[in-house]
Amino acid sequence: MPNPKNIVILISGSGSNMASIVQAAQLQDWHQQFGASVVAVISNRPGAAGLQRATSLGVTTQLLDHRAFNSREAFDAALMQQVDSYQPALVVLAGFMRILTPGFVDHYTGRLINIHPSLLPAFTGINTHQRAINAGCLEAGCTVHQVTAELDHGPILAQAAVPVLPGDTADTLAARVLVQEHMLYPQAVRAWLQSQP
Ligand code: GAR
């Protein structure tokens, strides 16, 4: 393939969004269609269940424990080096629970995307589902966006909404949103690949 579109996915936890992307890439044969493959999954947490999940899906995994670094800059520099060793066309944050330094974000401008469990620009940051319930929102959802230096900002690529139902807890709402995330994120990555020359 003359211009391989390598995808690197960064995770911190269960990796269900990562798995939805890897499975879509395999089932829809993104390699044949776009020259694209998920070449590595990198976690900043040793216990992340997503590492095992990625291995079962046949994807190379790497661990870079942020606790081994004494500054955010030092961790991000090491992460950048590890990510760049895979020559990625696209870097996908999938439940990667780290604030990235501007240097890292700048380095991947236009090829760094994230999924956030709210209808941005509402509810940036954490505890999005409880905050949506507390605010009396009738709808919640998730957003795929390009990553910029400002946390949970950046151009929106795709969104999906779900109803907030009477009696919802943060957990029941999160589960309803997560079902949408698993459809939305692979679609958004696919659309990004389609948009590339
Ligand atoms: C997902 O709900 C994702 O939207 C959220 O973490 C969860 C990760 O689940 N991301 C953020 O909150 C980022 N600010 P997963 O590890 O099973 O994909």
Side-chain angles (χ1 to χ4, degrees):
M1 193 69 62
N3 182 21
K5 295 194 171 55
N6 290 345
I7 299 171
V8 171
I9 305 182
L10 306 187
I11 64 166
S12 300
S14 72
S16 68
N17 277 291
M18 171 280 296
S20 73
I21 294 166
V22 170
Q23 282 164 333
Q26 292 173 349
L27 283 168
Q28 299 167 13
D29 203 347
W30 288 358
H31 190 256
Q32 170 70 26
Q33 288 189 60
F34 311 115
S37 331
V38 178
V39 291
V41 168
I42 303 174
S43 171
N44 67 306
R45 289 205 185 122
L51 285 171
Q52 183 52 49
R53 220 165 182 162
T55 302
S56 331
L57 288 164
V59 181
T60 299
T61 60
Q62 300 275 330
L63 169 66
L64 192 67
D65 190 339
H66 63 272
R67 292 169 305 184
F69 297 85
N70 57 18
S71 73
R72 198 169 282 283
E73 286 71 22
F75 171 74
D76 278 12
L79 181 62
M80 203 185 294
Q81 205 170 41
Q82 202 170 71
V83 170
D84 281 350
S85 72
Y86 294 99
Q87 301 186 298
L90 180 65
V91 180
V92 174
L93 307 182
F96 186 67
M97 305 305 274
R98 295 274 309 169
I99 294 173
L100 293 162
T101 54
F104 187 96
V105 172
D106 284 353
H107 183 72
Y108 297 106
T109 298
R111 56 193 180 110
L112 180 61
I113 64 175
N114 180 45
I115 192 160
H116 182 74
S118 78
L119 293 173
L120 291 175
F123 308 121
T124 61
I126 59 171
N127 299 328
T128 54
H129 304 300
Q130 190 59 55
R131 287 159 63 208
I133 291 168
N134 293 350
C137 293
L138 300 178
E139 281 196 323
C142 50
T143 304
V144 177
H145 65 99
Q146 298 228 17
V147 177
T148 56
E150 197 177 350
L151 181 69
D152 299 331
H153 283 69
I156 289 172
L157 302 175
Q159 284 186 314
V162 299
V164 179
L165 299 177
D168 257 340
T169 63
D171 285 348
T172 60
L173 181 56
R176 192 174 309 120
V177 171
L178 196 60
V179 171
Q180 296 302 315
E181 293 187 42
H182 295 163
M183 291 187 277
L184 189 72
Y185 216 178
Q187 282 166 13
V189 173
R190 187 192 163 90
W192 187 91
L193 292 167
Q194 258 166 343
S195 75
Q196 298 303 298

